[in-house]
C-alpha cells in the first residue's frame, strides 16, 4: 500500500503529468543486452554441458540506457550521456535508443573501446550462460574532457531538473568526471541521483539521492546487520554513509527488493511489492529512475520509494531487461489504493 493520506488516483495522474514536464539526463555505462532463446533437450557428447537449440535472438537496451528507457517511458524528456565503441553493436544500440525517443546526440564514439554487450543464453526461460564483451578501463582524459564539455553545454541550454548517474563500472564514470559533474549540478541547483558501484562508491559527494544495494553499502561501512533491530542497523548505515558523502537521502535496496530510505532523522522501510520474480535484470535501473523522477516532481521521498517499489514489482515479473510502463504503474497505483 502507498502510505500517503491524500493519495488518490487523480493525484497520481497529476504526478505523471508533472513528470512529463521534467527534463532529465542519464550519465553512465550503456549496455546492449542480447538474448539467445532456445530449448534444452540433450547434453552435448563433447562435454557435460546442455545443448541449447537456438530459436530466437533478441536485443534490449541495458545499463544506463535502461535507466533512460524507464524515464522516457514515464514521459520525461531524456538525454543520455555515454561512450560506445565504433562497432556494429554501437550502431544497433544507438538506433534502438533513438527509436525510443531518447536523445543520443551526446553519446560519444571511441576507437579505443568496444560497446558493452551482455549475451545471455536461455533454455526454457532459464539463463544457462552469460557472455560479456566489454572494456572496463577508465575512459581517457581527452574523452572525459569532451564528455564534461558536452554536459556543461547541455546544462546551460536545457536546464535539466535532475541528473541520474548509473554506474556499472565499465569506465565511463571516472572519479574526476563524477566530481566535476556534481559541482556543475550544485552550481545550477540540479537534483542528483546516484546508483553507484564499488569502484567510485564515495565519489558522489553531496548527492540528493544515493542508492546502493545493501551488499554494496555494507562493503563500504563498518555497520553491522542482523535480523534483530534491522531498522536501527540500517539507520546506522545511513549515518556512516552520510559522514562520507554528506548526501541528502539514502535509498538502499534490500533483499527481495524491499527499500529502505532515510532523509534527515526520518527513516522508513517499504515492503516489497514483488510477487513472481522471473528475472532481476534491470530492476535496480527501474528503482533509481522512478525514485528520482517522483522525488524531483513531488519532493516526497516516501511517495518516491513507494512508487519505485511498485515499479520494481512490475518489471521483475518479466524475463530479461524491461522498462516500466506508465499505464502499468498507474494500474498498480490504483490497486494500492483499494
Amino acid at each position: 500500500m502507498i502510505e500517503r493520506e491524500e493519495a488518490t488516483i487523480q493525484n497520481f495522474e497529476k504526478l505523471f503529468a508533472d513528470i512529463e514536464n521534467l527534463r532529465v539526463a542519464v550519465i553512465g555505462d550503456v549496455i546492449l543486452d542480447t538474448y539467445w532463446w532456445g530449448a534444452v533437450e540433450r547434453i552435448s557428447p563433447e562435454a557435460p554441458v546442455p545443448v541449447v537449440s537456438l530459436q530466437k535472438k533478441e536485443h534490449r537496451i541495458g545499463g544506463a540506457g535502461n535507466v533512460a528507457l524507464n524515464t522516457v517511458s514515464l514521459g520525461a524528456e531524456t538525454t543520455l550521456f555515454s561512450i560506445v565503441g565504433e562497432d556494429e553493436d554501437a550502431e544497433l544500440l544507438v538506433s534502438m535508443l533513438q527509436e525510443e525517443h531518447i536523445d543520443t546526440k551526446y553519446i560519444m564514439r571511441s576507437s579505443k573501446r568496444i560497446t558493452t554487450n551482455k549475451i545471455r543464453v536461455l533454455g526454457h526461460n532459464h539463463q544457462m550462460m552469460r557472455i560479456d564483451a566489454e572494456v572496463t578501463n577508465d575512459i581517457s582524459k581527452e574523452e572525459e574532457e569532451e564528455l564534461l564539455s558536452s554536459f556543461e553545454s547541455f546544462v546551460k541550454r536545457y536546464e535539466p531538473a535532475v541528473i541520474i548517474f548509473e554506474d556499472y563500472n565499465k569506465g565511463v564514470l571516472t572519479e574526476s568526471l563524477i566530481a566535476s559533474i556534481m559541482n556543475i549540478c550544485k552550481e545550477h541547483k540540479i537534483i542528483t541521483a546516484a546508483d553507484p558501484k564499488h569502484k567510485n562508491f564515495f565519489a558522489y559527494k553531496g548527492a540528493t539521492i544515493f542508492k546502493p544495494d545493501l551488499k554494496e553499502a555494507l562493503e563500504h561501512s563498518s555497520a553491522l546487520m542482523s535480523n534483530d533491530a534491522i531498522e536501527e542497523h540500517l539507520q546506522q548505515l545511513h549515518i556512516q554513509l552520510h559522514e562520507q558523502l554528506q548526501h541528502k537521502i539514502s535509498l538502499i535496496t534490500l533483499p527481495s527488493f524491499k527499500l529502505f530510505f532515510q532523509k534527515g532523522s526520518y527513516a522508513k522501510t517499504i515492503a516489497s511489492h514483488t510477487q513472481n520474480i522471473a528475472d532481476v535484470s534491470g530492476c535496480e535501473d527501474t528503482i533509481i529512475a522512478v525514485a528520482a523522477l517522483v522525488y524531483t516532481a513531488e519532493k516526497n521521498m516516501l511517495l518516491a520509494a513507494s512508487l519505485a517499489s511498485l515499479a520494481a514489482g512490475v518489471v521483475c515479473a518479466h524475463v530479461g531487461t524491461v522498462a516500466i510502463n506508465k499505464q502499468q504503474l498507474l494500474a498498480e497505483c490504483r490497486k494500492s489504493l483499494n
Side-chain angles (χ1 to χ4, degrees):
M1 299 292 289
I2 294 177
E3 301 178 58
R4 193 183 185 198
E5 291 181 3
E6 68 271 27
T8 66
I9 197 60
Q10 289 77 22
N11 286 344
F12 288 127
E13 289 172 346
K14 180 182 182 302
L15 167 64
F16 290 130
D18 290 342
I19 286 174
E20 291 180 2
N21 294 322
L22 296 179
R23 181 93 194 203
V24 56
V26 180
I27 305 173
D29 305 293
V30 293
I31 296 171
L32 180 64
D33 283 329
T34 301
Y35 295 87
W36 292 351
W37 305 83
V40 178
E41 298 173 349
R42 61 193 177 96
I43 300 298
S44 171
E46 303 169 355
V49 294
V51 175
V52 179
S53 178
L54 187 61
Q55 298 171 339
K56 180 178 69 172
K57 293 182 180 180
E58 186 177 359
H59 299 288
R60 298 185 189 179
I61 298 167
N66 188 43
V67 176
L69 187 57
N70 276 274
T71 58
V72 81
S73 294
L74 291 178
E77 197 164 356
T78 302
T79 298
L80 187 56
F81 287 81
S82 192
I83 297 182
V84 295
E86 295 179 346
D87 47 36
E88 291 182 2
D89 284 345
E91 295 293 334
L92 175 59
L93 182 53
V94 170
S95 68
M96 290 170 65
L97 291 164
Q98 290 171 345
E99 286 173 7
E100 298 294 341
H101 307 292
I102 296 168
D103 178 13
T104 63
K105 64 176 169 284
Y106 297 105
I107 295 180
M108 294 168 48
R109 307 294 181 98
S110 173
S111 60
K112 303 172 184 176
R113 310 179 72 82
I114 62 172
T115 304
T116 301
N117 187 351
K118 295 182 179 180
I119 302 169
R120 297 170 175 89
V121 182
L122 298 100
H124 302 298
N125 287 341
H126 294 290
Q127 189 173 147
M128 313 293 295
M129 177 185 295
R130 198 178 87 184
I131 305 165
D132 290 359
E134 60 186 12
V135 171
T136 59
N137 57 288
D138 285 350
I139 59 175
S140 68
K141 200 65 181 176
E142 293 75 19
E143 290 167 335
E144 183 181 312
E145 289 172 357
E146 185 176 346
L147 203 57
L148 181 60
S149 176
S150 296
F151 180 77
E152 288 178 305
S153 299
F154 166 80
V155 167
K156 290 175 182 176
R157 180 176 180 182
Y158 294 106
E159 299 180 347
V162 56
I163 306 299
I164 303 175
F165 296 83
E166 184 58 42
D167 195 354
Y168 274 79
N169 278 170
K170 307 302 180 188
V172 171
L173 288 170
T174 65
E175 185 175 6
S176 56
L177 181 62
I178 294 167
S180 297
I181 292 175
M182 290 294 295
N183 286 335
I184 293 170
C185 292
K186 182 178 180 181
E187 178 185 348
H188 291 269
K189 296 180 172 56
I190 301 170
I191 290 171
T192 53
D195 192 358
K197 286 292 182 288
H198 61 87
K199 188 175 180 180
N200 296 311
F201 192 83
F202 286 122
Y204 301 93
K205 290 180 169 54
T208 310
I209 301 173
F210 186 69
K211 192 214 75 63
D213 65 30
L214 180 60
K215 181 176 180 292
E216 292 166 342
L218 289 174
E219 286 174 352
H220 291 85
S221 77
S222 60
L224 301 174
M225 196 60 57
S226 70
N227 292 328
D228 298 324
I230 187 168
E231 193 88 10
E232 293 179 15
H233 292 315
L234 288 167
Q235 291 180 37
Q236 183 61 37
L237 181 56
H238 163 76
I239 290 170
Q240 290 191 15
L241 293 175
H242 188 265
E243 287 173 353
Q244 292 272 358
L245 291 163
Q246 298 300 303
H247 61 299
K248 192 169 188 178
I249 302 162
S250 290
L251 178 63
I252 300 173
T253 312
L254 308 179
S256 300
F257 292 101
K258 290 181 181 178
L259 292 177
F260 167 85
F261 76 88
Q262 184 161 349
K263 178 183 179 183
S265 60
Y266 181 71
K268 183 76 176 177
T269 298
I270 306 297
S272 173
H273 289 87
T274 57
Q275 296 178 354
N276 300 308
I277 299 179
D279 192 343
V280 299
S281 301
C283 290
E284 298 281 1
D285 302 336
T286 298
I287 289 170
I288 189 66
V290 174
L293 288 183
V294 175
Y295 181 80
T296 301
E298 289 285 308
K299 305 302 184 293
N300 183 319
M301 197 57 210
L302 178 57
L303 181 63
S306 298
L307 289 188
S309 177
L310 281 175
V314 173
V315 300
C316 287
H318 297 272
V319 177
T321 305
V322 296
I324 188 62
N325 175 277
K326 181 166 62 176
Q327 294 306 316
Q328 283 182 305
L329 185 53
L330 190 56
E332 290 300 315
C333 291
R334 289 192 179 97
K335 289 180 186 178
S336 74
L337 295 176
N338 295 333

